[in-house]
Amino acid sequence: GRYQTALVYCDKAIKKNPDDKWAWYLKGKVYYHLKESSKAVECFNKSIQIDPNFADAYFWMSLTYKSYFITNEASHYAVK
């Protein structure tokens, strides 16, 4: 469906520019909505590695942990 199509476009953008924080971020959001939390976390982490001040990536990282993992980890990312 639409999420699979979005992943294809994110992958194309990442292949063209591996340091595109927005492509990694959007890919993380797609994985979040697909309930593939581990993959979402990997993508948000990559966005944060590229731009340590990327607040949206921290927010979605926190939301992913809160939704799918443990609350302690979520609060760690929410504080940033």
Side-chain angles (χ1 to χ4, degrees):
R2 299 168 98 186
Y3 288 125
Q4 297 306 322
T5 301
L7 284 176
V8 168
Y9 283 110
C10 288
D11 286 337
K12 285 181 181 182
I14 290 166
K15 187 173 183 178
K16 187 174 182 178
N17 179 8
D19 291 329
D20 184 343
K21 71 178 183 181
W22 287 102
W24 285 106
Y25 166 75
L26 292 173
K27 187 175 180 179
K29 287 183 71 174
V30 171
Y31 279 130
Y32 173 87
H33 290 293
L34 290 171
K35 298 183 178 12
E36 294 189 42
S37 52
S38 294
K39 290 180 181 180
V41 166
E42 287 177 28
C43 294
F44 295 134
N45 268 327
K46 185 65 177 170
S47 283
I48 291 165
Q49 287 172 359
I50 296 165
D51 180 0
N53 296 313
F54 192 14
D56 287 350
Y58 283 106
F59 172 80
W60 280 91
M61 174 79 78
S62 173
L63 193 61
T64 303
Y65 274 108
K66 185 176 180 198
S67 298
Y68 300 112
F69 295 118
I70 54 172
T71 308
N72 279 348
E73 199 70 28
S75 63
H76 169 75
Y77 288 104
V79 171
K80 301 232 180 207

